[in-house]
Amino acid sequence: MQQALPLGTSDFRSLRINNEIYVDKTDLVFRLAQHRGKIFLARPRRFGKSLLVSTFESLFKNGLTHFQGLAIENKWEDKTYAVARLDFSSLKTFKSLEQFQTAFHSLLLSAFIPLGFKFNSDNKDLLFIDQLKMWLSSLPASSIVLLIDEYDAPLTNHLDDPEVFNTIRDCLGEFYTAVKQYEGCLRFFFMTGITKFSNTSIFSAFNNLQDISLDVQFGSLLGYTEEEISHCFSSYLDSAAHELKLSKEKLLELLREQYDGFSFDRQARTHVYCPWSVLNFFAKPSEGFQNYWYTSGGQPTVLMKYLTSHALKSPTVYDEPVLVSLSDLGASRQYDEISIEALLTQAGYLTIKEQVGGDYVRLGYPNEEVSRSMAQLYASELLRGQNLVQSGVPILAKILTSETPETVVDYFNRALTSIDYVRYPVDSEAACRAYLQVLLIGAALVPRVEVHNAFGRSDMEVEVNGRHWVFEFKYARSSNETDRLLKEAIVQVQSNHYGKTTDNKELIRVALVFSAEQRRFVAWESV
């Protein structure tokens, strides 16, 4: 009988009891858990951080009860411990700061009371945190395990309100300081998050916290390697290949292009697939290689809040690699000091492609799914919430499939005039092309830019069902240039035979002139 997919399962014990597929990471779990460490791990959403925390919880609380047949079974010889697990994602929403503090104390009580903590609410002279300190100070050395999942969730939800942010930070900081002060009671401490804020007190309080986020030996701790997919999901690969009428080799090639490519170690030695995307594909392969990233993992609160007051780089550099220092990626920084490149890497949009020298890495999109997600993010930012479909314009792919060039140009103009011109000015032919490129990709299309043939290179081409569109753009800085530039574009398309290599598709070639003064296409002609 085929094992069930662990789609949406973040509880290790439940996964094992229900015989769901578990991709065995326990050799790395053992490497971390065997020492008396205090460890931090940052990863994007949908990579299994909560399942990893649950795995540590099961190991320390119940020993090898649920680890039969796994790599750790013949290595682990430690005893069991009292385990406190705190999921800070439960503290994201509240109506008042008093409600947050009440919820936070309730979370701590629910975790520590089973371990022996007794809070005396009648003692008005001794604050909650002081009573917690007294209890921690009474514990034997190396007697408890503390696990914190999504440490940054309460903070990132309130980045747009400095007063609330600072109050939450101070409240959490008191707890971190208390744990640091009596850390001798800790056998093991493990904490996860998406980003690394320096102004949260956690990294200053735990000055000996080991950050393994970019560690080479733990690059595959979260995510699936291709070897793990081939081994653990072999029957699902066979089923999907049969359903899509592909060879197993071709299916793996397409999976690799769509969902692989995430590299979390500073030397880019290992790369992994996004588990959420792979599991969703195997659950419904007949739907093809859908974009599961953007709606489920690609809009983390920290990034979306950041973009309310910061701009993405110009879409003209949408698909260009980015060079950054490792110190910029790995350092903890205040929210306002985080670079957009570091934040996009932490969110999973960019990944390490290669190390350049000893101190720099080159970043890029891990795969096609994330590249499309980035285009969707750009489209969302460019239009700033203005939904062209809701305003009466049909879906772009449908327009290109069945409508006239006039309707396509009208759509382009609606999109370009909707862009936040202050943040994203269309100030060149390259910018005009780049903005339309990301809008097309955001619409799940695959445009190609600067397409070469023997005679020259077209600005942009895209195939949609039975049609092949060719677009040649010109940028008019003044109105008296329009006619001349349109004629130039027409001659260029004709003399260079753009799109002529396409077989069995309806070829539609359009020359367009964008006006800097009117911020729209003011002239066009079907060639």
Side-chain angles (χ1 to χ4, degrees):
M1 182 179 175
Q2 192 176 47
Q3 277 185 284
L5 294 169
L7 188 59
T9 303
S10 59
D11 183 77
F12 176 79
R13 176 176 174 273
S14 174
L15 182 150
R16 297 290 286 172
I17 289 174
N18 291 299
N19 195 33
E20 295 176 353
I21 294 173
Y22 175 68
V23 175
D24 190 356
K25 303 287 187 177
T26 60
D27 57 335
L28 298 177
V29 168
F30 172 75
R31 198 176 301 176
L32 291 170
Q34 65 178 324
H35 301 296
R36 184 177 171 269
K38 289 179 283 296
I39 299 164
F40 171 72
L41 175 67
R43 285 290 184 270
R45 293 176 63 192
R46 295 304 190 183
F47 267 85
K49 296 190 295 295
S50 296
L51 177 60
L52 177 61
V53 170
S54 178
T55 305
F56 281 122
E57 179 184 26
S58 180
L59 179 65
F60 282 110
K61 183 184 288 186
N62 303 309
L64 295 172
T65 302
H66 301 294
F67 289 83
Q68 294 88 348
L70 300 180
I72 199 173
E73 187 178 21
N74 296 322
K75 299 178 180 179
W76 187 252
E77 297 178 347
D78 206 348
K79 63 179 184 179
T80 57
Y81 293 85
V83 178
R85 179 181 176 184
L86 303 171
D87 182 357
F88 280 10
S89 67
S90 63
L91 301 173
K92 288 192 295 187
T93 57
F94 49 87
K95 294 180 180 178
S96 67
L97 292 174
E98 291 76 14
Q99 188 183 70
F100 168 77
Q101 190 170 51
T102 299
F104 182 47
H105 287 173
S106 177
L107 180 66
L108 295 180
L109 287 171
S110 66
F112 290 124
I113 283 178
L115 278 58
F117 174 52
K118 293 180 175 63
F119 172 59
N120 183 1
S121 58
D122 294 329
N123 189 345
K124 304 301 181 184
D125 296 326
L126 207 55
L127 299 174
F128 177 93
I129 197 68
D130 292 323
Q131 294 188 44
L132 181 64
K133 285 181 180 179
M134 290 177 63
W135 176 71
L136 290 172
S137 69
S138 70
L139 295 175
S142 301
S143 61
I144 68 169
V145 169
L146 179 56
L147 308 172
I148 301 177
D149 198 10
E150 297 196 50
Y151 91 98
D152 47 350
L155 294 157
T156 56
N157 225 42
H158 299 277
L159 288 170
D160 52 353
D161 191 331
E163 182 180 353
V164 173
F165 180 95
N166 291 336
T167 302
I168 296 172
R169 178 200 62 195
D170 294 343
C171 184
L172 296 176
E174 287 184 343
F175 169 67
Y176 297 139
T177 302
V179 175
K180 165 62 179 175
Q181 187 174 354
Y182 301 103
E183 65 176 88
C185 68
L186 296 178
R187 159 63 178 85
F188 184 74
F189 175 88
F190 187 79
M191 183 175 73
T192 76
I194 293 177
T195 193
K196 192 175 177 184
F197 292 131
S198 64
N199 55 350
T200 58
S201 300
I202 179 61
F203 297 102
S204 57
F206 284 96
N207 50 19
N208 55 352
L209 189 66
Q210 180 188 1
D211 183 358
I212 64 168
S213 303
L214 299 176
D215 197 312
V216 174
Q217 62 180 322
F218 298 111
S220 62
L221 179 60
L222 294 180
Y224 299 154
T225 66
E226 186 160 310
E227 182 181 4
E228 288 168 339
I229 289 177
S230 296
H231 175 69
C232 299
F233 298 95
S234 179
S235 65
Y236 284 94
L237 284 168
D238 290 336
S239 297
H242 176 76
E243 193 156 352
L244 296 175
K245 296 180 174 55
L246 298 170
S247 67
K248 198 168 182 177
E249 292 72 23
K250 182 62 177 178
L251 177 64
L252 273 170
E253 178 187 332
L254 293 174
L255 274 173
R256 190 181 307 125
E257 292 173 357
Q258 293 297 321
Y259 306 131
D260 190 20
F262 291 94
S263 185
F264 298 115
D265 73 75
R266 58 174 57 87
Q267 295 179 8
R269 289 185 187 177
T270 55
H271 54 90
V272 293
Y273 291 71
C274 174
W276 179 254
S277 300
V278 171
L279 293 174
N280 271 281
F281 169 78
F282 284 143
K284 36 187 181 290
S286 61
E287 295 185 12
F289 300 93
Q290 297 294 313
N291 184 347
Y292 300 106
W293 169 260
Y294 187 65
T295 55
S296 66
Q299 300 181 72
T301 302
V302 61
L303 178 60
M304 305 317 289
K305 294 279 188 182
Y306 183 92
L307 291 175
T308 61
S309 57
H310 299 73
L312 293 168
K313 288 193 172 182
S314 168
T316 55
V317 295
Y318 158 76
D319 54 1
E320 292 183 6
V322 182
L323 192 68
V324 300
S325 67
L326 280 166
S327 61
D328 191 30
L329 284 187
S332 60
R333 300 190 182 279
Q334 293 195 24
Y335 168 63
D336 288 338
E337 297 174 354
I338 297 175
S339 70
I340 186 62
E341 293 83 8
L343 197 55
L344 286 171
T345 304
Q346 292 164 356
Y349 280 99
L350 296 176
T351 199
I352 299 172
K353 306 298 281 189
E354 63 174 330
Q355 189 173 21
V356 181
D359 302 322
Y360 287 84
V361 290
R362 185 167 285 112
L363 305 176
Y365 304 128
N367 52 50
E368 291 297 325
E369 180 186 40
V370 175
S371 176
R372 292 197 305 273
S373 295
M374 189 66 197
Q376 287 182 263
L377 184 64
Y378 262 113
S380 175
E381 281 299 296
L382 291 174
L383 299 175
R384 273 294 171 181
Q386 298 182 62
N387 192 318
L388 298 182
V389 175
Q390 289 180 355
S391 61
V393 181
I395 298 173
L396 181 53
K398 184 177 180 181
I399 294 175
L400 291 168
T401 297
S402 58
E403 298 292 339
T404 64
E406 181 178 10
T407 305
V408 172
V409 175
D410 180 60
Y411 181 97
F412 286 169
N413 275 334
R414 286 180 184 240
L416 291 169
T417 55
S418 298
I419 288 173
D420 182 341
Y421 208 80
V422 174
R423 291 157 63 94
Y424 302 103
V426 185
D427 54 8
S428 66
E429 179 184 313
C432 180
R433 181 187 64 215
Y435 287 26
L436 293 177
Q437 178 191 9
V438 298
L439 289 172
L440 285 165
I441 296 173
L445 300 173
V446 188
R448 295 178 296 151
V449 297
E450 298 189 339
V451 182
H452 292 255
N453 67 13
F455 304 96
R457 57 187 183 187
S458 62
D459 279 335
M460 187 167 72
E461 300 187 20
V462 61
E463 294 184 6
V464 186
N465 296 322
R467 285 178 160 185
H468 184 102
W469 290 83
V470 177
F471 298 102
E472 187 65 27
F473 304 114
K474 297 296 179 183
Y475 187 84
R477 299 193 177 278
S478 61
S479 57
N480 57 14
E481 295 181 302
T482 301
D483 291 342
R484 174 180 61 81
L485 289 173
L486 181 61
K487 290 176 182 176
E488 282 184 14
I490 293 171
V491 170
Q492 198 171 334
V493 171
Q494 292 174 330
S495 61
N496 291 336
H497 307 286
Y498 291 156
K500 287 293 188 179
T501 58
T502 303
D503 297 325
N504 302 320
K505 290 186 182 292
E506 179 187 0
L507 180 62
I508 306 174
R509 304 184 298 182
V510 186
L512 310 94
V513 179
F514 184 88
S515 167
E517 296 173 344
Q518 297 186 44
R519 301 179 184 177
R520 63 195 307 274
F521 291 113
V522 293
W524 67 273
E525 188 166 322
S526 190
V527 183

